[in-house]
Amino acid sequence: MTGEDFKSWLKVEVAHYCCDEEARTESLKLYETLVMFQENYRQKLPRQVNLSAEVILEILREGKPLLAVDVIAIPAEHLAVIAREVVQIVASRGKPEATLPLKQWLKEVAWQNEQGRNVDMVFGAAFYESWGMRAAAVDPEVGAFVVYNILAPFYIQYAQEVTACVDLSGWKQGKCPVCGANPFLAILRSEDGARLLACSFCRTEWSFPRLVCPFCGNNNQRSLGFFYLPEKEAYRVYICQECKHYLKTVVAQNLGRRPLPGVENLVTLFLDEIAQGEGYSSGESFYPLSAGNPETLPGIT
Amino acid sequence: MEVSRRTFLKISGAAGLTGVLLTKLGCAPRGEAPAGGEALRIQYAQEISTICPYCSVGCGALCQIQDGEVVSIVGDPDHPINEGSLCSKGSSLLNLRMIYDPKTKKLTLNPNRVTKVLYRAPGSNKWEVKSWDWALTNIAQRVKQARDATFEATDAQGVTVNRTSAIAHLGSAAIDNEENYLMVKLQRALGVINIDHHARL
């Protein structure tokens, strides 16, 4: 899919749901504005992948996500421009008490060239400290969101280049073959019911068996299952009794059109609430975001 | 399972726009749960894989189980043979057990499904319900009677054959290698020489 096709698709989906329920408009518009900017900017980036298709396939055959081996070079000049725009977008729609520290942080941050790697290394222990967000008293969750959105164009561009030259159907793991993140949403394809997992970070989609938990590999059908709301049959929440993680899933056939994962995630936040009320936790690997204060972030003291 | 309707409060653990984050930014959706009533009913379900019993292709299928009852059967997308598809006959697998009742608009047990041993005596036009023990004992006795009455130890030339031509065995297309092995072993032990299968749909 070209960048233009993606942007058209995003506009249609956001308009559909904004029309559907007014209460969602603010969050959907924020998402749309950010993604539109990222999509436009990523097309200005230099080529990210320097590996041949053979080398990429060899890395995948070894069971490693590409970015556990390869490195994305992230030039400081791009970081500065993207950061300014992302903060501006967030600030234009967010409450001042949440966004003022961000603006302060933007004034103080000294950009340097970064080397992006897989998700755990990007967000692992130190982003809050090393990006100077603690010093600027940025809320850790808002901070992680901003970092994620600043880095996303590089990872999305990298993933687009990979998927353009390599068939990922041989990848059989629950984590993203490109960046190593856990999926945030799944889609049951209309044509055959196959499950596609979606990465929220680099937007890669890859197929994965329906009767296996992508988070722990449990394939005991008795301890796997899902729940749904009878009035919303387009959505299911797959659960694993072993690891107690859940994965929101869109049944494309019931939805009646091809789902756009980022938008579907946003319009199904009520399912996260229900799943967590039922005792399950999201399997996403962006763990800094799951913490409410910096003291509980892994590796930050 | 009932969940009370609440406005969006606390959701954690996602990379993108989460509930907690949206709340902090001041643009959280209000009353996110779908409209229609004060309580949301959650329906739990399981998916169990199986093999279509109809023919020798052996397509994979996924049964959706709710409250201990199968409510849907679809092709298994991860099965290497059919990759999610089912033929027109396989697509009706659910109707082996459940049928759609147009009056109640609900699935109901198929009343035509045979779940007990039915026996029709020679000359009779009525079916009688029998127990499995009765059926198996009778089958064994009749097989033995037929075999003993027609068993040939040698043929006209005096060659040992140990056979009976009074019994024929028709196998199933839907059973596996090991079951086929055992069936043929039994028939050979009995001296049955008319052995065939029905995998010719």
Side-chain angles (χ1 to χ4, degrees), chain A residues 10-26 28-29 32 257 263 267:
Chain A
L10 175 65
K11 274 184 189 168
V12 169
E13 290 298 307
V14 168
H16 173 85
Y17 284 113
C18 283
C19 191
D20 188 39
E21 202 165 324
E22 197 185 337
R24 292 173 175 148
T25 302
E26 276 300 301
L28 281 166
K29 287 291 177 190
E32 181 185 25
R257 62 185 191 281
V263 172
V267 298

Side-chain angles (χ1 to χ4, degrees), chain A residues 17 228 232-237 249-250 255 264 267-268 271:
Chain A
Y17 284 113
Y228 66 97
K232 290 262 180 185
E233 289 206 55
Y235 303 107
R236 295 177 178 177
V237 179
T249 300
V250 186
L255 190 71
E264 294 301 331
V267 298
T268 54
L271 291 175

